[in-house]
Amino acid sequence: MKRSRIIGISIVALIIGILLIVANLYIDYNLRKYSVYYAHNMEHKEGTHPEMAMALENMDVIYKPNKKNIRYRDDGGFIIYNTFSNNEQVIISCYPRAKELRYIYHDFTKKSYHFNEAFRLEYGYDSSTGLDEIDIKTVDQDALYKDIYKNFGFIVEANVNRKPLINMQKEFNKKYYKRFN
């Protein structure tokens, strides 16, 4: 009798443990897959761009539309190429496994702009002049963000209205509020 009771308790504990693991995995998956939707519905500080940050950071699980001249690459990070008819190419990349999360945008004028984890411009380089650092005070940041959204905003648009079956907005806000405020 004691032996069967111990086995029964062990089986129940094992099942509860497995259910907790599955629940935690689902929560993580849900927060990542619908991160653009959650970021869009979260309050954030002006100058941050949580939708674009979440889209780039979670490219492995969000919806990636097939679009002419767009190529996705995943090699430890996420890189998206947008090629124009005259072979000009703009690139945006993210390496979420890096020590410090960064986003990099390369435009066809041979300039690269580096953004922090809140997708706020930190610094830039102009490789046409020999990798000279760009003074970000001289950069029209509104125009830069418009250019980025013109070339890659379709990813945000494709995911911003994809509502989750189980809304975990509160959990997303707990996890990311400080990052974007």
Side-chain angles (χ1 to χ4, degrees), residues 22-33:
V22 169
N24 283 333
L25 290 174
Y26 175 76
I27 290 169
D28 180 60
Y29 177 76
N30 180 300
L31 292 178
R32 292 181 64 229
K33 181 172 180 154

Side-chain angles (χ1 to χ4, degrees), residues 27-143:
I27 290 169
D28 180 60
Y29 177 76
N30 180 300
L31 292 178
R32 292 181 64 229
K33 181 172 180 154
Y34 300 104
S35 60
V36 178
Y37 171 82
Y38 294 137
H40 181 72
N41 292 301
M42 178 182 73
E43 288 183 30
H44 57 87
K45 191 178 199 177
E46 191 173 328
T48 64
H49 299 270
E51 296 97 340
M52 184 61 77
M54 290 290 104
L56 293 170
E57 190 175 326
N58 297 301
M59 286 296 292
D60 57 336
V61 294
I62 67 169
Y63 172 66
K64 294 181 293 248
N66 288 329
K67 195 169 178 186
K68 185 179 178 185
N69 299 327
I70 298 296
R71 187 170 51 113
Y72 301 98
R73 196 175 96 202
D74 174 14
D75 59 353
F78 304 108
I79 302 172
I80 308 165
Y81 300 92
N82 190 349
T83 307
F84 301 99
S85 58
N86 54 356
N87 288 330
E88 291 178 336
Q89 192 173 63
V90 290
I91 303 166
I92 196 158
S93 61
C94 170
Y95 295 92
R97 294 177 198 97
K99 183 178 178 184
E100 232 179 286
L101 186 59
R102 294 250 185 263
Y103 307 95
I104 304 170
Y105 174 66
H106 303 276
D107 68 12
F108 57 85
T109 64
K110 300 192 188 258
K111 293 180 181 167
S112 63
Y113 299 95
H114 297 246
F115 302 88
N116 66 8
E117 64 184 11
F119 210 80
R120 186 177 297 144
L121 181 63
E122 284 195 324
Y123 55 91
Y125 292 104
D126 187 349
S127 61
S128 67
T129 61
L131 285 178
D132 291 333
E133 190 163 344
I134 298 170
D135 181 8
I136 63 169
K137 293 175 186 169
T138 64
V139 174
D140 182 355
Q141 292 189 30
D142 289 335

